[in-house]
Amino acid sequence: MRYLPEGNFMKILLIGPQGSGKSTQGKMLAQFLDVPYISTGDIFREIASQDTEEGRQIKRILESGHLVSDEKTRELVKRKLQQPECQRGFILDGYPRTSEQVDLFHAIDLKFDKIFYLNVPEDKVIERLAKRGRPDDTPETIKTRLDVYKLKAAVLMEALTGFGNLVEIDGSGSIDQIQQQIRNMINGQK
Ligand code: AMP
């Protein structure tokens, strides 16, 4: 049976480096809680697959491993979160990546029930990404994305303080172990 907290719908944010298992965990959790899973990376890959000027522009950015502009990303996420299906909760993955993107949460007065930070050592992240084989997972883009992440991570974490209960999860265990740990935390267990 799916889990729904009494009188409350779950708004959950997943943060952590690429390869930390956010999307795997996020999709499993979304199914469990019966709420939409929103990944900005998925949204941008969908746009990049379109044969339009915007599609080609986003494709170039994705292939470089750099970030899409804060302005464009914020607007896109704002629109998404305002859709009816997100009103009873959601799992957000891949956003925010910068402290400027965090400002959107102030602007739309959004608080999370839980923020999960999936922490995985860098060598393990690189190993996982190399196996994943996504088109934008070349050694160069993997390195650039990790550099971009590291550069912003500390400021990002600080900016997220106060938007929800931030919990650090050791993301180096098995998929099922980590999922169970997340669900226990949501259920208020330790
Ligand atoms: P991901 O699937 O989360 O690894 O994202 C893939 C790519 O999409 C990233 O390398 C960025 O180019 C772009 N992207 C995803 N989320 C964001 C974001 N919040 N801000 C800017 N660019 C993003």
Side-chain angles (χ1 to χ4, degrees), residues 18 22 39-42 44-45 61-62 65-70 73 93-97 101 132 134 136 145:
Q18 292 84 1
K22 283 181 295 150
S39 148
T40 45
D42 284 353
F44 284 131
R45 276 184 288 279
I61 299 174
L62 258 57
H66 289 284
L67 296 177
V68 179
S69 76
D70 284 332
T73 311
D93 167 13
Y95 184 98
R97 294 271 233 278
Q101 292 182 8
R132 188 167 72 172
R134 220 169 62 186
D136 59 337
R145 286 204 306 266

